[in-house]
Amino acid sequence: NEPVENTAAVVPIRPPVEKPPELEKPVKKEIERGTQTVETTRVADDSLNWSEMAFDLELDGLARQLAMNCVVDTYSDNQLCLIFLPELEVMLKPDVEAQIKQAIEHKLGVSLKLEFRRSASLDCETPHEADVRKQEQHRQQVIQSIKLDPMVMQLKTVFGAELIENSVVKIK
């Protein structure tokens, strides 16, 4: 985990800003539990540890984007089948396939038969989705630590200040 600089703003309470409806579309299945909504996602479970390996492949451009948005369907006897959503099919070009195949073979040290298959839905998260989820979990931990900071708590008590959670971002 990289250190996150505390750049959050603490300001007096303001009325909430309405989000445009297009930003409120659920991305994952959500389960209502009392007043709390819990997001659930099945994490990929494969022998390649694809969610980690995809980041380690020496890829860039379209090949990297496609690899990061695929999940392993099957892997056995040096045959790998990656599945992707239909909207990514435009990225699937012979040279992109060859780059991904070469990078995986180089990483594993084996010759590989690689197949790409389109699927209407994916039953687990892609490496990209796993990365976004981990970043958000880390951001929520940082927000919680800011909220528990004695100075922030004092500002809330004395001035009625409120933490604007959207202002908590990782500085690169």
Side-chain angles (χ1 to χ4, degrees):
N1 288 340
E2 297 177 27
V4 176
E5 186 172 321
N6 180 355
T7 61
V10 179
V11 297
I13 298 174
R14 292 186 210 164
V17 177
E18 291 293 321
K19 290 182 183 176
E22 64 271 8
L23 296 179
E24 295 180 358
K25 293 178 184 172
V27 177
K28 302 270 183 270
K29 181 180 177 185
E30 295 181 341
I31 301 172
E32 291 290 335
R33 289 192 182 148
T35 59
Q36 185 179 17
T37 300
V38 179
E39 184 178 280
T40 61
T41 303
R42 191 167 83 81
V43 177
D45 181 26
D46 62 77
S47 59
L48 284 177
N49 195 9
W50 181 249
S51 281
E52 297 295 324
M53 188 175 112
F55 284 96
D56 295 336
L57 298 176
E58 295 177 15
L59 294 170
D60 56 13
L62 286 178
R64 180 172 175 81
Q65 292 306 312
L66 183 60
M68 299 297 285
N69 287 286
C70 287
V71 296
V72 173
D73 184 37
T74 58
Y75 176 60
S76 64
D77 301 322
N78 294 333
Q79 293 187 6
L80 174 62
C81 179
L82 296 175
I83 57 176
F84 59 91
L85 294 173
E87 55 266 24
L88 298 177
E89 193 161 15
V90 298
M91 299 171 79
L92 192 62
K93 307 285 183 212
D95 62 323
V96 171
E97 287 183 50
Q99 288 175 29
I100 294 172
K101 181 178 187 282
Q102 182 180 13
I104 296 171
E105 287 177 337
H106 180 74
K107 180 75 176 165
L108 297 176
V110 298
S111 182
L112 188 71
K113 180 181 185 306
L114 179 61
E115 176 187 353
F116 287 89
R117 199 165 45 83
R118 181 181 65 210
S119 177
S121 65
L122 305 177
D123 66 350
C124 60
E125 65 184 4
T126 66
H128 173 71
E129 291 169 333
D131 185 50
V132 169
R133 176 183 47 80
K134 289 174 187 173
Q135 288 179 24
E136 180 58 21
Q137 287 173 339
H138 179 68
R139 192 177 86 80
Q140 290 301 323
Q141 290 171 345
V142 170
I143 288 170
Q144 192 60 30
S145 70
I146 292 169
K147 285 180 176 179
L148 297 175
D149 182 272
M151 181 61 76
V152 172
M153 293 171 71
Q154 186 177 10
L155 288 169
K156 285 178 78 173
T157 303
V158 174
F159 299 107
E162 180 181 89
L163 173 67
I164 299 176
E165 293 184 12
N166 291 338
S167 70
V168 180
V169 294
K170 182 177 181 178
I171 296 177
K172 295 182 183 190

